[in-house]
């Protein structure tokens, strides 16, 4: 039981990170109807920007950890958001009303370019950072196994919850959120009613990238390393999460993220670490056989 | 109006729908509907918007599984099929029911000829020895392919598109697309042809041509046709039997003349109750 | 970058270029301007590279300025309308004579470049991707089913051959069909769960399938050798005669002086034959009911069902056929390399083959061949800049897609005609929702 509780905690933390990335996939899909393959690499860029900002802040003599974290968070979100915006402008906007596969391949190309860019600019080796946030609590101890909840885990989960609350408010209560929902339903009609579609789509990418940057920073804090290749694996996992939850559905993305995080952790804990990804992908396939539009996706009604 | 004797021995029921009910969640789209269509006749299903006509069609052609009820199709050789228990593609393949769609569903990137060839898929599949003999170019396959092209040419000529056989279906004018879709359905050699608003969007001339085409399909090929239509000129001119639907319930049935004079039908179309409708009619007269 | 109408002129271009440069400055400030590395003690250190940053930003400024000026002089470039109009004419003409010329060229290619081992190897590589592209074209181009895990079948083919040949000592010519059949079997296996899936759901499941296969290959050490792969895969023989220097080798038997080039030339003709077989079968299938059903399914699945076409078998045969060709190519890859490992079967390969199909113009056989030549050949040009390869490749994919979203050959040829051969603009074709 103690072991299980520990895995549960680990799974939820991992799932939160996946969920934050998955929201970016699902938002873009909802509005533009395309898979933003470069999103995983945006997450990776977020991790790198966070790392570099952190190094600079430490070297100029900042020592108060909360201030460092806050500054790193802000810089990472802002700069990664600009990456998201640029990617949309360069690779997707010219293909907005094109053939469906063209933007997808353009996105795959962008993904390759971004990961190779990070590799060339920052080197291929893994970048380790010393633990920034340390300490934690022992929740309970049973038969010699102590269930730990570290401070960093608390930070990850709380940050995710706060961002989710903000994000839900943004989508459901603000002008931008209304515009986004309108564009999701019908871009032409939204444009006729005075919604600036280009701007709304840009903002979608910006918000998605900012959330991915947060995920990147959390990843850096939690695992203590970044590398240029992490975007691919995390991206595929998060995309799997988005699809599992039902692509286009925001609660679905979070639910999918948590499911993938839990499946991965539990499988590693009880079966084999090597096959954890195989388990996650297999469960995705099994779920889609029975629910072809994911857990919370709207069932597709075939108009005849 | 066509004068087909209603009680000839050849004119038995090809389609019998009984107690058909279709619910979507809490909405009852069709409620306990029963009607029949007779072999070699043109039967029409009419009703105001949202009456559930297309839903009936989708149940018959297997795109929806009805909540309850029975849809039975009987071939002229006496073989009978329970349509609601057949898989969608088997309804066309085995029970020989072909359909068209309200918003035309041709294969826009294929030529008119190719569209008709696709419709002969099952026959050609057998002839090509399920691809293997065709791959090797066996003579049996070549003959079958030629026959299929001939059948397609026949239909292209019937609908006046012989010269445009090699044009992409998506490039044809709207009226031609409508007729091509009917020809495509006929290429499956159906026992029952179901047409979903074939005259929608056609002008008066095209609509007249359509009437002729449908009548000739019935008379020359002995085909049975079930159609949904809004355009009363089509329904009244070519139908042998009309069933009227409103809010998923059958409210009238009979010859076009009988239906036209039924106050319930007029009420449904005018959206008023029967008394008002009667008053309107009397005022008209 | 944008589509806003701005008055043409130098001032406007300058303004836009400055804006781009400013954005680039922010984007690259940390990622390029600061370099991090693990120092000698394991502690991360960093140093600044403002020179590189300045160079990159000026490059963006100059590039953007040139692009803006070109655009204001020649009109909009980014819609893809400008170039296709100019390129379609020659491409149409090329369509008449080009395939034949290309075929003759590929046939005499080894004679021309007999002395140039590197070019022969490149030819083999291009042909392998032509074959993979043609195979995937059946699934994506004809049937309209998006497959992001095609590399799985390539891997199944390669491992089937490698395992059959190394454990049972079967010859290449027996293993080749077996590899194809096994790959086709896996194609059907993938096909079943995805029958009801559409679009992006299909994309992720095929991608996941490809990853599952790769992960199993890495982790099932006892069977596959894990990350180390399989070595000592038998090289192909000239229909039973080994291409070795020995007395019973190919050279000795035919009274030639032994040369390692013989094997390369043989491999070249082998993959050429396999690719041409793929092409021939695909062209034949298009004219058969099954091929027409694939294309019809791409255009409208609902209409297919209403015409009595069994969507299940139609989809499964498309997956199986495409997978089979992938399996053949995989077996060839294994025998050519003599060594395979999971590293050769990553998502990059799937994406590359898919890019070849889409860039070729979905469904066009000639287009796919040209696209393979452009992509693999272009990729090879950057051989000396190994570390920038994926960067250039990725950006090239973006540029090519923006330039010609419908691919190089933007029309399909009708499979049957009454009066005259017709080519249908790809604008009319649907791309399939599956």
């Amino acid at each position: 039981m103690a072991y299980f509780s520990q895995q549960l905690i680990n799974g939820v933390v991992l799932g939160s990170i996946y969920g934050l990335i998955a929201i970016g996939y699902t938002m873009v899909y909802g509005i533009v109807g395309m898979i933003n393959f470069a999103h995983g690499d945006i997450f990776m860029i977020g991790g790198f920007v966070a790392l570099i900002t952190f190094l600079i802040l430490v070297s100029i003599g900042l020592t108060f950890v909360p201030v460092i974290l806050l500054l790193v968070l802000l810089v990472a979100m802002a700069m990664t958001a600009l990456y998201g915006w640029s990617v949309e402008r360069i690779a997707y906007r010219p293909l907005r009303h094109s053939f469906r596969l063209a933007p997808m391949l353009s996105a795959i190309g962008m993904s390759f370019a971004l990961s190779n860019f990070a590799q060339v600019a920052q080197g291929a080796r893994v970048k380790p950072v010393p633990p920034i946030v340390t300490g934690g609590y022992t929740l309970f101890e049973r038969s010699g196994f102590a269930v730990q909840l570290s401070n960093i885990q608390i930070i990850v989960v709380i940050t995710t919850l706060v961002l989710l609350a903000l994000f839900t408010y943004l989508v459901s209560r603000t002008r931008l959120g209304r515009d986004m929902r309108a564009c999701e339903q019908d871009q032409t009609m939204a444009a006729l009613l005075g919604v600036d579609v280009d701007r709304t789509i840009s903002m979608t990418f910006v918000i998605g990238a900012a959330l991915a940057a947060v995920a990147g920073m959390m990843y850096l804090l939690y695992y203590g390393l970044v590398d240029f290749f992490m975007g691919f694996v995390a991206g595929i996992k998060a995309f799997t999460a988005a699809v599992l939850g039902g692509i286009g559905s925001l609660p679905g993305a979070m639910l999918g993220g948590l499911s993938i995080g839990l499946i991965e952790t539990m499988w590693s804990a009880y079966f084999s670490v090597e096959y954890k990804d195989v388990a996650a992908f297999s469960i995705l396939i099994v779920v889609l056989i029975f629910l072809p539009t994911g857990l919370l996706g709207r069932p597709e009604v075939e108009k005849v | 109006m066509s004068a087909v004797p209603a009680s000839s021995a050849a004119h038995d029921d090809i389609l019998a729908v009984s107690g058909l009910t279709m619910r979507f969640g809490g909405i009852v789209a069709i409620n306990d509907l029963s009607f029949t269509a007779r072999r070699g006749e043109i039967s029409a299903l009419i009703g105001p918007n949202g009456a559930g006509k297309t839903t009936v069609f989708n149940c018959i052609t297997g795109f929806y599984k009805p909540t309850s009820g029975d849809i039975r199709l009987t071939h002229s050789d006496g073989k009978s099929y329970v349509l609601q228990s057949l898989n969608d593609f088997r309804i066309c393949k085995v029970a020989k029911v072909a359909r068209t769609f309200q918003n035309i569903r041709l294969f826009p990137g294929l030529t008119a000829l190719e569209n008709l060839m696709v419709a002969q898929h099952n026959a050609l599949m057998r002839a090509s020895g399920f691809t293997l003999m065709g791959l090797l170019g066996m003579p049996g396959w070549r003959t079958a392919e030629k026959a299929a092209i001939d059948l397609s040419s026949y239909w292209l000529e019937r609908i006046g598109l012989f010269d445009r056989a090699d044009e992409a279906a998506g490039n044809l004018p709207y009226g031609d697309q409508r007729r091509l879709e009917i020809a495509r359905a006929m290429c499956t050699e159906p026992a029952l042809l179901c047409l979903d608003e074939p005259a929608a969007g056609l002008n008066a001339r095209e609509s007249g041509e359509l009437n002729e085409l449908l009548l000739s399909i019935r008379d020359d090929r002995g085909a049975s046709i079930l159609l949904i239509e809004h355009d009363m000129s089509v329904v009244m001119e070519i139908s042998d039997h009309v069933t009227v639907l409103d809010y998923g319930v059958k409210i009238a049935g009979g010859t076009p003349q009988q239906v036209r004079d039924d106050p319930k039908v007029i009420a449904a179309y005018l959206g008023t109750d029967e008394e008002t409708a009667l008053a309107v009619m009397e005022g008209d007269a | 970058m944008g589509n806003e109408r701005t008055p043409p002129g130098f001032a406007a271009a300058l303004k836009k270029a400055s804006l781009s440069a400013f954005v680039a400055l922010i984007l690259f400030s940390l990622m390029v301007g600061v370099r991090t590395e693990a120092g000698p003690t394991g502690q991360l250190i960093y140093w600044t590279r403002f020179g590189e940053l300045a160079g990159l930003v000026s490059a963006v400024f100059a590039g953007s300025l040139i692009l803006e000026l070109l655009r204001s002089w020649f009109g909009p470039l980014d819609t893809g309308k400008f170039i296709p109009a100019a390129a379609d004419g020659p491409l149409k003409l090329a369509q008449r004579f080009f395939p034949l010329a290309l075929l003759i060229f590929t046939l005499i290619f080894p004679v021309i470049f007999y002395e140039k081992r590197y070019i022969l190897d490149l030819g083999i590589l291009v042909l392998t991707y032509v074959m993979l592209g043609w195979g995937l074209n059946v699934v994506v181009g004809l049937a309209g089913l998006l497959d992001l895990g095609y590399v799985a079948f390539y891997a199944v083919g390669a491992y089937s051959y490698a395992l059959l040949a190394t454990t049972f000592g079967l010859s290449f010519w027996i293993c080749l069909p077996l590899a194809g059949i096994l790959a086709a079997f896996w194609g059907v296996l993938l096909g079943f769960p995805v029958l009801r899936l559409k679009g992006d759901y299909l994309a992720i499941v095929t991608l996941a399938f490809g990853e599952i296969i790769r992960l199993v290959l890495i982790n099932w050490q006892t069977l596959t050798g894990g990350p180390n792969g399989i070595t000592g895969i038998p090289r192909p023989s000239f229909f039973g005669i080994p291409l070795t220097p020995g007395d019973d080798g190919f050279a000795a038997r035919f009274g030639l002086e032994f040369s390692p080039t013989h094997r390369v030339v043989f491999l070249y003709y082998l993959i050429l034959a396999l690719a041409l077989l793929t092409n021939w079968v695909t062209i034949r299938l298009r004219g058969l009911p099954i091929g027409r059903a694939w294309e019809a399914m791409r255009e409208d699945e609902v209409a297919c069902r209403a015409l009595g076409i069994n969507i299940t078998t139609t989809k499964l045969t498309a997956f199986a056929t495409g997978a089979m060709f992938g399996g053949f190519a995989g077996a060839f890859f294994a025998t050519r390399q003599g060594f395979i490992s999971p590293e050769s079967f990553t998502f990059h390969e799937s994406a590359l083959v898919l890019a070849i199909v889409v860039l070729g113009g979905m469904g066009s056989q000639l287009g796919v061949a040209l696209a393979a030549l452009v992509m693999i050949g272009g990729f090879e040009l950057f051989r000396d800049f190994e570390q920038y390869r994926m960067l250039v490749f990725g950006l090239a994919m973006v540029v090519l897609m923006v330039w010609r979203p419908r691919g190089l050959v933007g029309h399909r040829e009708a499979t049957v005609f009454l009066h005259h051969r017709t080519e249908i603009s790809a604008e009319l074709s649907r791309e399939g929702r599956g």
Side-chain angles (χ1 to χ4, degrees):
Chain A
M1 192 59 211
Y3 185 62
F4 178 79
S5 311
Q6 183 67 65
Q7 299 311 324
L8 200 64
I9 293 171
N10 296 349
V12 167
V13 173
L14 182 62
S16 302
I17 295 177
Y18 285 152
L20 284 176
I21 314 175
I23 287 178
Y25 276 111
T26 236
M27 256 172 45
V28 166
Y29 184 84
I31 293 194
V32 203
M34 67 168 280
I35 307 172
N36 180 9
F37 261 95
H39 192 63
D41 298 281
I42 295 281
F43 153 79
M44 175 270 298
I45 295 277
F48 266 100
V49 171
L51 170 83
I52 296 167
T53 317
F54 171 73
L55 278 182
I56 294 175
L57 290 178
V58 170
S59 74
I60 60 171
L62 265 180
T63 47
F64 188 51
V65 173
V67 172
I68 294 182
L69 288 185
L70 194 66
L71 284 174
V72 169
L73 187 72
L74 291 178
V75 173
M77 281 176 82
M79 202 166 278
T80 314
L82 192 63
Y83 270 91
W85 180 85
S86 311
V87 165
E88 196 267 336
R89 277 314 272 273
I90 296 170
Y92 306 154
R93 188 170 291 184
L95 292 168
R96 181 89 48 81
H97 299 290
S98 173
F99 189 57
R100 184 178 52 120
L101 279 179
M104 190 166 110
L105 278 167
S106 183
I108 294 177
M110 214 59 208
S111 155
F112 289 173
L114 280 175
S115 68
N116 194 210
F117 163 68
Q119 184 189 4
V120 171
Q122 297 294 329
R125 266 184 285 168
V126 169
K127 310 265 180 273
V129 281
I132 301 159
V133 183
T134 48
Y137 307 90
T138 304
L139 292 185
F140 60 93
E141 205 168 333
R142 195 163 298 165
S143 53
F145 189 89
V147 178
Q148 307 273 355
L149 179 63
S150 65
N151 285 336
I152 178 65
Q153 288 178 323
I154 297 173
I155 291 181
V156 170
V157 172
I158 288 180
T159 314
T160 308
L161 285 178
V162 169
L163 280 172
L164 273 184
L166 272 175
F167 185 69
T168 314
Y169 172 79
L170 181 96
V171 171
S172 57
R173 292 291 153 82
T174 62
R175 170 81 202 259
L176 176 66
R178 205 167 57 226
D179 289 356
M180 281 164 68
R181 283 177 289 140
C183 288
E184 196 177 330
Q185 299 273 323
D186 187 337
Q187 280 184 26
T188 318
M189 198 60 215
L192 285 174
L193 295 176
V195 174
D196 187 342
V197 175
D198 277 348
R199 194 179 142 270
T200 310
I201 291 176
S202 280
M203 282 313 289
T204 309
F205 277 85
V206 163
I207 296 169
L211 290 178
V214 179
M217 181 184 160
M218 297 299 146
Y219 186 94
L220 174 74
L221 294 177
Y222 192 49
Y223 292 101
L225 52 87
V226 288
D227 68 77
F228 77 96
F229 201 65
M230 75 184 201
F232 178 72
V233 182
I236 287 193
K237 295 285 184 49
F239 179 37
T240 305
V243 172
L244 186 66
I247 199 156
S249 149
L250 294 173
M254 214 52 226
L255 179 69
L258 287 175
S259 314
I260 294 288
L262 284 170
I263 291 167
E264 239 187 84
T265 331
M266 293 297 170
W267 195 277
S268 311
Y270 291 99
F271 301 101
S272 73
V273 183
E274 289 83 17
Y275 285 101
K276 69 178 163 68
D277 293 353
V278 175
F281 292 138
S282 306
I283 286 174
L284 168 84
I285 294 178
V286 171
V287 168
L288 288 184
I289 290 175
F290 296 105
L291 298 165
T293 49
L295 295 173
L296 298 185
R298 267 166 268 149
E300 199 165 316
V301 180
E302 196 150 38
K303 280 273 174 200
V304 181
Chain B
M1 194 180 300
S2 58
V4 177
S7 55
S8 143
H11 288 195
D12 47 341
D13 288 345
I14 182 164
L15 180 76
V17 174
S18 55
L20 183 69
T21 300
M22 182 78 207
R23 285 198 196 90
F24 296 104
I27 300 159
V28 183
I30 313 170
N31 193 8
D32 196 26
L33 174 72
S34 302
F35 71 95
T36 56
R38 294 162 78 83
R39 192 180 314 284
E41 286 191 359
I42 297 180
S43 315
L45 197 59
I46 66 168
N49 276 330
K53 302 180 302 275
T54 299
T55 309
V56 174
F57 249 47
N58 285 339
C59 288
I60 295 173
T61 52
F63 284 92
Y64 295 157
K65 286 270 168 261
T67 316
S68 65
D70 187 60
I71 309 168
R72 193 171 292 271
L73 184 98
T74 314
H75 282 182
S76 51
D77 60 5
K79 261 195 197 145
S80 160
Y81 302 89
V82 181
L83 295 190
Q84 77 271 17
S85 56
L86 280 181
N87 255 346
D88 49 10
F89 78 93
R90 288 207 178 79
I91 286 181
C92 178
K93 187 179 174 180
V94 181
K96 296 271 164 208
V97 178
R99 73 169 288 178
T100 64
F101 296 89
Q102 199 168 337
N103 36 2
I104 309 173
R105 297 194 89 128
L106 287 167
F107 306 118
L110 308 190
T111 64
L113 176 64
E114 284 179 308
N115 266 277
L116 301 190
M117 294 291 280
V118 171
Q120 302 172 58
H121 177 81
N122 289 314
L124 284 174
M125 211 53 190
R126 276 189 299 277
S128 71
F130 297 91
T131 304
L132 199 65
M133 284 182 6
L135 202 58
L136 301 172
M138 298 291 213
W141 153 248
R142 288 184 192 286
T143 334
E145 190 185 28
K146 192 159 177 312
I149 295 177
D150 287 344
L151 181 66
S152 307
S153 310
Y154 166 81
W155 278 108
L156 285 167
E157 215 148 352
R158 282 289 289 269
I159 59 171
L161 282 180
F162 187 76
D163 293 336
R164 309 187 74 168
D166 298 324
E167 278 181 46
N171 263 350
L172 295 173
Y174 187 80
D176 289 348
Q177 292 197 13
R178 279 258 174 237
R179 288 204 308 281
L180 182 61
E181 205 191 11
I182 296 172
R184 187 180 69 179
M186 285 309 291
C187 277
T188 65
E189 315 248 79
L192 176 69
L193 175 64
C194 298
L195 304 173
D196 195 345
E197 299 206 11
L202 300 187
N203 61 32
R205 187 181 54 79
E206 288 172 325
S207 167
E209 284 171 6
L210 179 78
N211 287 354
E212 276 169 41
L213 176 69
L214 295 183
L215 286 174
S216 74
I217 286 176
R218 181 195 66 188
D219 297 338
D220 309 351
R221 316 281 300 185
S224 319
I225 299 175
L226 175 67
L227 64 90
I228 295 178
E229 194 45 83
H230 267 310
D231 187 337
M232 281 305 147
S233 72
V234 175
V235 175
M236 293 305 156
E237 228 170 279
I238 66 170
S239 308
D240 301 304
H241 186 272
V242 179
T243 304
V244 189
L245 215 60
D246 193 24
Y247 293 111
V249 181
K250 176 179 170 179
I251 55 171
T255 63
Q257 194 56 48
Q258 288 168 339
V259 165
R260 185 186 313 189
D261 297 338
D262 192 323
K264 273 199 230 155
V265 176
I266 295 158
Y269 267 88
L270 293 177
T272 56
D273 53 43
E274 268 173 64
E275 283 78 33
T276 329
L278 275 172
V280 170
M281 281 172 71
E282 274 152 22
D284 267 0
Chain C
M1 275 182 203
N3 311 337
E4 308 95 74
R5 274 167 197 243
T6 38
F10 194 73
L14 204 64
K15 201 177 143 200
K16 276 199 162 180
S18 312
L19 198 69
S20 304
F22 179 65
V23 171
L25 177 67
I26 302 178
L27 287 183
F28 297 142
S29 58
L30 289 184
M31 285 301 284
V32 177
V34 180
R35 174 74 155 87
T36 55
E37 196 56 89
T41 55
Q43 184 83 5
L44 266 188
I45 51 166
Y46 76 92
W47 63 93
T48 55
R49 290 185 302 189
F50 294 134
E52 280 93 334
L53 178 63
L56 208 56
V57 171
S58 353
V60 168
F61 178 76
S64 168
L65 188 64
I66 293 169
L67 210 68
E68 285 304 326
L69 286 177
L70 283 178
R71 191 176 293 167
S72 66
W73 290 333
F74 293 112
L77 223 140
D78 57 352
T79 53
K81 292 259 152 46
F82 172 67
I83 306 256
D88 266 350
L91 269 171
K92 256 196 192 118
L93 193 75
Q95 271 241 306
R96 294 272 171 274
F97 307 100
F98 197 61
L100 191 67
L102 201 64
L103 182 65
I104 293 171
F105 177 71
T106 48
L107 282 173
I108 58 170
F109 183 85
V111 181
I112 306 173
F113 296 106
Y114 188 79
E115 299 296 327
K116 301 205 170 67
R117 171 74 192 263
Y118 167 70
I119 297 196
L120 280 181
D121 277 335
L122 185 59
I124 294 176
L125 192 67
V126 169
L127 282 175
T128 311
Y129 280 97
V130 169
M131 172 152 183
L132 284 171
W134 278 341
L136 183 61
N137 194 20
V138 170
V139 184
V140 178
L142 295 183
L145 301 163
L146 183 51
D147 187 349
L148 286 178
Y150 190 61
V151 76
F153 309 120
Y154 190 42
V156 167
Y159 273 86
S160 302
Y161 170 64
L163 291 172
L164 287 171
T166 50
T167 42
F168 301 108
L170 296 178
S171 88
F172 177 75
W173 296 103
I174 295 173
C175 293
L176 183 71
L178 286 177
I181 291 168
L182 279 168
F185 169 76
W186 281 93
V188 173
L189 217 61
L190 165 69
F192 266 112
V194 303
L195 278 173
R196 286 166 65 203
L197 302 182
K198 306 259 180 250
D200 303 282
Y201 291 95
L202 181 61
I204 184 66
V205 170
T206 50
L207 198 160
F209 180 77
E211 283 296 296
I212 289 176
I213 296 270
R214 191 177 65 86
L215 290 167
V216 170
L217 290 179
I218 291 178
N219 291 311
W220 194 353
Q221 306 239 357
T222 48
L223 181 74
T224 64
N228 299 326
I230 300 175
T231 48
I233 301 167
R235 315 308 299 264
S237 57
F238 185 79
F239 304 100
I241 307 168
L243 291 147
T244 49
D247 277 345
D248 57 347
F250 172 80
R253 291 261 195 108
F254 287 84
L256 300 166
E257 196 180 326
F258 175 77
S259 152
T261 315
H262 290 161
R263 170 181 288 154
V264 183
V265 171
F266 175 68
L267 282 171
Y268 177 88
Y269 281 116
L270 181 61
I271 185 65
L272 181 61
L274 285 173
L276 289 178
L277 176 80
T278 309
N279 188 31
W280 180 80
V281 170
T282 310
I283 290 174
R284 284 308 285 259
L285 285 178
R286 275 194 72 210
L288 287 167
I290 185 70
R292 238 175 252 136
W294 289 339
E295 289 200 78
M297 182 170 73
R298 177 193 69 208
E299 301 280 320
D300 194 330
E301 201 176 306
V302 168
C304 277
R305 278 155 56 189
L307 293 173
I309 294 174
N310 185 344
I311 290 295
T312 307
T313 52
T314 309
K315 274 189 185 168
L316 291 182
T317 46
F319 272 121
T321 311
M324 182 183 70
F325 292 135
F328 287 153
F332 172 81
F333 176 77
T335 191
R336 181 203 167 199
Q337 299 290 101
F339 158 73
I340 50 168
S341 76
E343 241 173 69
S344 308
F345 308 104
T346 57
F347 173 67
H348 281 180
E349 294 295 307
S350 289
L352 177 57
V353 179
L354 185 66
I356 286 173
V357 171
V358 174
L359 179 66
M362 305 245 298
S364 161
Q365 297 290 98
L366 177 67
V368 168
L370 289 178
L373 189 65
V374 170
M375 299 285 263
I376 307 300
F379 211 44
E380 233 14 65
L381 288 181
F382 285 90
R383 202 186 178 78
D384 298 335
F385 309 95
E386 182 66 38
Q387 58 169 161
Y388 297 100
R389 252 171 137 191
M390 286 315 287
L391 182 61
V392 174
F393 176 66
L395 291 178
M397 254 168 93
V398 174
V399 171
L400 286 170
M401 281 305 131
V402 172
W403 172 50
R404 278 194 87 99
R406 281 284 178 169
L408 293 172
V409 179
H411 47 78
R412 71 174 280 274
E413 200 169 319
T415 57
V416 60
F417 58 94
L418 271 188
H419 313 294
H420 51 86
R421 280 185 186 281
T422 359
E423 275 158 3
I424 298 156
S425 160
E427 299 294 323
L428 282 171
S429 279
R430 303 239 174 100
E431 52 190 320
R433 293 195 317 134

